[in-house]
Amino acid sequence: MPSPAKTTMDAPEARNLQQLIESGWKSKTVKQEIRDNFSRMLADREELFPGIVGYEDTVIPEISLALLAGHDMLFMGEKGQAKSRIMRQLVQFLDPWIPYIDHPDLPVHEDPLNPISSLGKRLVAEHSPEDIQIGWWHRSERYAERLSPGTKFADIIGEIDPAKLTGGVSMSAEEALSFGLIPRMHRGIFAMNELPELDDLVQVGLFNILEERDVQIRGYPIRFELDVMILFSANPSTYNRSGKVIPQLKDRIGTIVQTHYPSERTQGIEILQQEVGDDLGGPYPVHVPLFMYQIIEEITHQARQSKYIDQASGVSARFSLANFRTIVASARQRGIVHGESPAVPRISDLGHLYASSLGKLELDLMGTHQMSEKQVIDSVIAEAIQTVFGEYIEEHGLAEIAEIFRGGVRVEVGTMLPSSEYAERLQHVPPAWDRAFEVNASENEAMRASCVEFVLAGLYSLDKISRSQRHGKISYET
């Protein structure tokens, strides 16, 4: 989360209610707090959602209006569309610290000026302000989330505590209750992921909190004026299915924010580079040429368009990231073994994508032409190579480069072949080579090997050359 590191030295100095009152601190609801901080950051032109790519003109404006309106929100979109990341980032709009009554028996972080539990009210009424101890709650702890499958009423709302009954507490007393995550997030943010998978009974409990802001456990109407912002996430195919979410709960959600996948390949590449960070450096560095970034992202794009894949479930951005990390790992392994620095990913490294792709795609079982998951992966990889290579032919003149393969050159490629073996077969590199790839392919053997494989795979995708495979090695020839 973007909030600063929490230390007790950062907290305000007030340690009892009297000092807090003298400091001039005023109570705010969570949504007032978020609105004030968001408005200040907006006026100061601060970056509101760092690391969120491709949503500047679509998703972020909707979130901004919802925050200013004080709405509870539902983020609706397929998997891997940064829904959880955005929800967690809302913590940055909370105040860095808020005070609470520091008493071990209080069930929630009570507002010292506006307690909601019976014990909290008694403490304020029966003790002088100097005797009421104050603690400070950091914003990084004021967020909790839960995944819906398997969630019970007691987990997020609460339950009667048998241990307290055994200790003599009356079953009808507030003190007999053990509260769940939402009451414990009083004055904070609670997020429920995959809302349609939530049990109907729990949905009714959430509806009651959104409507009345109170808690009812086992028929005991405990009137808690809960102050909490509630967020939800859901997949459109399940959220819109009849009976999955009760209508009363849908009606109480203030704003539905529609998320989406990156509309442009460059945005997907930016996300990849952001997620990988410094992982390409270290003692065994890896240099990834632009066309390999483009192919990895195009594989995901082709998967999102494939008729063999169930598009209702989506193809996550994590699919791109897992595949990218796989080709980087394959290149790094080759660099370690052959002493190549930096190592450069090649097309042959895509042969390892089964390991990182299987299980991440849900096939369309209703399609008329059934394919195995491996066949689907092979298909989207081939389409991605052909698409990206076609762009390079049009934009960078790769037709000139292809001429060197028309004299009967035979090139064997493989993920563990040293780059020097490629150089021996291709002594001459035309000037167009460096212009096409924006890298110094003519001087760097590892980069040249990667470029060679890209050209060979591209020519094969256009049926310009033939390909044979044996014992894990691939040979291209005219």
Side-chain angles (χ1 to χ4, degrees):
M1 297 179 185
S3 51
K6 182 188 67 171
T7 66
T8 54
M9 294 181 63
D10 295 332
E13 296 180 356
R15 290 295 177 264
N16 60 54
L17 182 55
Q18 182 63 38
Q19 293 175 348
L20 183 67
I21 294 172
E22 292 173 353
S23 72
W25 184 84
K26 302 295 183 183
S27 293
K28 288 183 182 180
T29 65
V30 171
K31 292 177 179 178
Q32 287 174 335
E33 199 178 316
I34 289 175
R35 180 190 298 143
D36 290 347
N37 290 319
F38 177 81
S39 300
R40 174 186 55 78
M41 294 175 67
L42 187 64
D44 293 343
R45 301 294 191 270
E46 295 184 32
E47 187 177 10
L48 300 176
F49 295 93
I52 303 301
V53 178
Y55 285 170
E56 294 80 6
D57 301 321
T58 53
V59 175
I60 290 178
E62 299 301 321
I63 299 173
S64 301
L65 294 179
L67 295 179
L68 292 172
H71 284 170
D72 298 303
M73 286 180 276
L74 182 141
F75 292 84
M76 186 153 63
E78 283 82 17
K79 59 187 178 183
Q81 294 183 352
K83 299 187 294 296
S84 295
R85 171 173 289 195
I86 293 174
M87 292 192 292
R88 292 165 188 164
Q89 283 197 358
L90 297 185
V91 172
Q92 69 177 317
F93 302 121
L94 296 171
D95 289 342
W97 298 90
I98 59 169
Y100 65 93
I101 301 175
D102 190 5
H103 190 282
D105 294 330
L106 286 174
V108 297
H109 289 80
E110 290 276 26
D111 183 340
L113 303 184
N114 186 29
I116 62 172
S117 68
S118 57
L119 175 57
K121 292 176 181 178
R122 288 200 305 271
L123 286 172
V124 172
E126 298 173 2
H127 295 79
S128 64
E130 294 86 351
D131 295 331
I132 298 177
Q133 298 300 305
I134 297 298
W136 292 90
W137 198 17
H138 192 258
R139 63 182 168 192
S140 63
E141 298 178 342
R142 294 170 63 194
Y143 175 90
E145 64 181 37
R146 181 82 183 189
L147 190 62
S148 293
T151 296
K152 304 300 182 185
F153 190 91
D155 297 331
I156 62 170
I157 309 296
E159 183 58 282
I160 295 176
D161 190 342
K164 293 181 179 179
L165 298 180
T166 304
V169 177
S170 170
M171 189 172 181
S172 60
E174 180 183 296
E175 290 77 9
L177 302 179
S178 174
F179 293 105
L181 278 172
I182 293 181
R184 291 184 182 278
M185 276 297 109
H186 171 59
R187 306 172 70 203
I189 301 173
F190 177 77
M192 175 60 68
N193 287 302
E194 306 301 334
L195 173 62
E197 304 304 322
L198 201 60
D199 182 82
D200 286 352
L201 178 62
V202 187
Q203 289 190 34
V204 171
L206 283 174
F207 154 68
N208 192 69
I209 289 176
L210 287 172
E211 176 69 12
E212 304 293 341
R213 294 292 171 179
D214 66 0
V215 178
Q216 293 189 14
I217 300 175
R218 296 261 181 171
Y220 294 101
I222 306 301
R223 295 293 301 180
F224 263 12
E225 294 298 328
L226 287 178
D227 176 22
V228 59
M229 170 179 272
I230 299 183
L231 308 172
F232 304 96
S233 72
N235 186 296
S237 62
T238 52
Y239 184 78
N240 295 322
R241 191 181 305 161
S242 177
K244 294 296 288 185
V245 181
I246 60 175
Q248 296 89 339
L249 181 56
K250 285 185 176 181
D251 188 50
R252 266 68 182 186
I253 297 172
T255 293
I256 294 180
V257 178
Q258 297 271 0
T259 60
H260 55 83
Y261 290 121
S263 57
E264 299 177 6
R265 188 197 295 156
T266 53
Q267 293 174 343
I269 293 173
E270 185 178 347
I271 293 171
L272 273 181
Q273 293 172 333
Q274 173 182 280
E275 293 299 311
V276 173
D278 298 330
D279 193 43
L280 299 180
Y284 301 101
V286 178
H287 186 167
V288 183
L290 177 60
F291 63 82
M292 289 303 295
Y293 277 109
Q294 292 171 328
I295 288 173
I296 288 295
E297 190 57 33
E298 185 63 26
I299 289 171
T300 302
H301 178 71
Q302 292 294 332
R304 289 171 182 158
Q305 294 183 320
S306 174
K307 64 182 179 181
Y308 303 110
I309 296 173
D310 182 7
Q311 299 303 324
S313 67
V315 180
S316 170
R318 289 180 285 271
F319 182 73
S320 292
L321 183 59
N323 288 338
F324 182 79
R325 290 189 184 279
T326 295
I327 66 166
V328 168
S330 180
R332 180 166 278 144
Q333 176 180 248
R334 181 170 57 250
I336 295 171
V337 171
H338 296 299
E340 297 179 1
S341 182
V344 181
R346 310 169 181 166
I347 294 294
S348 55
D349 295 321
L350 300 178
H352 297 294
L353 294 194
Y354 294 132
S356 55
S357 298
L358 291 175
K360 293 183 175 64
L361 303 176
E362 295 187 29
L363 302 188
D364 183 4
L365 300 179
M366 302 301 292
T368 56
H369 300 89
Q370 292 300 313
M371 295 176 66
S372 70
E373 195 168 1
K374 283 190 175 182
Q375 289 174 320
V376 172
I377 292 171
D378 287 337
S379 173
V380 296
I381 290 175
E383 289 287 343
I385 293 172
Q386 183 175 3
T387 299
V388 174
F389 185 72
E391 294 171 3
Y392 273 75
I393 287 179
E394 294 177 5
E395 297 177 16
H396 303 296
L398 283 193
E400 181 181 343
I401 295 176
E403 288 294 331
I404 66 174
F405 298 106
R406 293 186 179 177
V409 176
R410 183 177 185 274
V411 181
E412 185 179 75
V413 305
T415 183
M416 288 307 294
L417 285 177
S419 300
S420 58
E421 294 198 13
Y422 294 75
E424 293 172 2
R425 289 166 172 78
L426 297 172
Q427 299 294 333
H428 173 66
V429 174
W433 197 280
D434 289 336
R435 294 199 304 271
F437 297 112
E438 300 177 358
V439 293
N440 196 6
S442 59
E443 296 182 8
N444 185 302
E445 287 186 346
M447 187 62 70
R448 188 192 311 180
S450 181
C451 294
V452 165
E453 285 203 20
F454 177 50
V455 172
L456 291 170
L459 292 174
Y460 173 73
S461 72
L462 300 177
D463 295 325
K464 301 295 185 182
I465 61 175
S466 61
R467 184 180 75 173
S468 60
Q469 184 170 350
R470 185 180 182 187
H471 301 310
K473 295 181 181 180
I474 301 173
S475 294
Y476 295 94
E477 59 185 320
T478 56

